[in-house]
Amino acid sequence: VHSATKALAGHSDILAGVSVGSQAWMDKVRQMIIYLGGSMDPGAAYLLIRGIKTLGVRVGRQCENAMAVASFLEKHPKVERVHYPGLPSHPDHELAKRQMRGFSSMLAFDMKGGLPAARRFCDRVRLFLMAASLGGVESLVILPIYSSHYDMSDEELKRAGVSPGTVRVSLGLEDKEDLIEDLKQALE
C-alpha cells in the first residue's frame, strides 16, 4: 500500500493511494473497495498520471536540494544537529548509501535554543512555506511538536528523536541557492 497523494502526484492537488501485490491480496483489496467505496475520480486519475510522468526529474531535483540544504545546515552555528541520511555524520549513512539512489527530499534539524529559536526561524522564512504536507513542488517547514508529534510526552518525543527545537523540512523544486539564502536570513 502506497500513498499516491505525495510524491507520485507531486502537486499537492489529489488524495490517492495504490495497492499492489499477489492476485489473492488484490482480490481482498478489490472486495474492500466494493464494500467501502474509494474509487478514484477521472480528474484525480488524470492528475496522478500527469505527476508520474515527471516523478523522476522532480525527485532527483528534490534530493539534490535536500543534500545542499542539509550540508548548509550542518555547518551553521545555530543548528545543533541535522537528521538526513545523505550526510556522512548520520548514524545510518553507510546503510542508506547501500539501499538508496537518492537520500530523500525530507530532512529535519534541531535548533540550538529549542522551541523559541525554532518558532522564530519558521516565522522568518520567506521562500519556504509553513505547512504540514510533503512531496510537492514547493519547499515547506513545520514544527513536529505542533503537527505530527503533537501532544506526545517528553519521553515519547525523546524516543522518536524529536525535540521542541526540531524543524521538519520538505524540499521542493526551487533553486537551491535561493533556498539556502532564505535559510541564511531566517537563521540570522
Side-chain angles (χ1 to χ4, degrees):
V1 177
H2 184 77
S3 170
T5 300
K6 306 294 184 189
L8 285 181
H11 296 278
S12 305
D13 54 7
I14 69 165
L15 294 173
V18 178
S19 294
V20 294
S22 67
Q23 186 63 50
W25 171 249
M26 295 314 300
D27 288 343
K28 289 178 184 178
V29 169
R30 185 173 186 278
Q31 286 304 309
M32 187 182 304
I33 290 170
I34 289 169
Y35 293 132
L36 299 177
S39 180
M40 188 183 303
D41 69 89
Y46 167 79
L47 294 173
L48 178 57
I49 290 168
R50 174 201 65 184
I52 289 173
K53 289 177 182 179
T54 61
L55 179 64
V57 293
R58 285 187 291 105
V59 170
R61 174 68 175 262
Q62 289 167 316
C63 289
E64 179 185 322
N65 283 349
M67 181 60 84
V69 164
S71 297
F72 164 77
L73 289 170
E74 187 173 49
K75 296 173 192 154
H76 198 281
K78 291 188 178 179
V79 173
E80 187 174 322
R81 181 174 176 211
V82 178
H83 308 272
Y84 187 67
L87 295 173
S89 61
H90 190 278
D92 293 320
H93 177 68
E94 290 303 317
L95 175 64
K97 279 184 8 182
R98 288 193 308 271
Q99 292 182 342
M100 303 169 85
R101 285 182 277 163
F103 294 107
S104 171
S105 63
M106 298 292 302
L107 63 93
F109 67 98
D110 301 328
M111 292 285 303
K112 291 179 181 174
L115 180 58
R119 286 181 64 164
R120 182 177 184 276
F121 167 81
C122 287
D123 287 343
R124 291 179 51 89
V125 290
R126 295 179 186 145
L127 183 57
F128 287 82
L129 302 173
M130 191 159 168
S133 188
L134 52 101
V137 295
E138 57 281 319
S139 293
L140 310 172
V141 296
I142 194 73
L143 299 176
I145 66 162
Y146 291 144
S147 58
S148 58
H149 293 70
Y150 179 75
D151 207 24
M152 292 176 88
S153 70
D154 290 343
E155 180 58 34
E156 291 170 319
L157 288 170
K158 186 177 180 179
R159 279 197 315 264
V162 174
S163 76
T166 299
V167 178
R168 187 181 81 186
V169 183
S170 175
L171 278 301
L173 302 179
E174 301 90 349
D175 183 81
K176 64 184 165 200
E177 286 81 15
D178 291 343
L179 294 169
I180 290 170
E181 283 303 313
D182 191 30
L183 294 172
K184 281 180 190 175
Q185 69 79 27
L187 288 164
E188 286 179 357

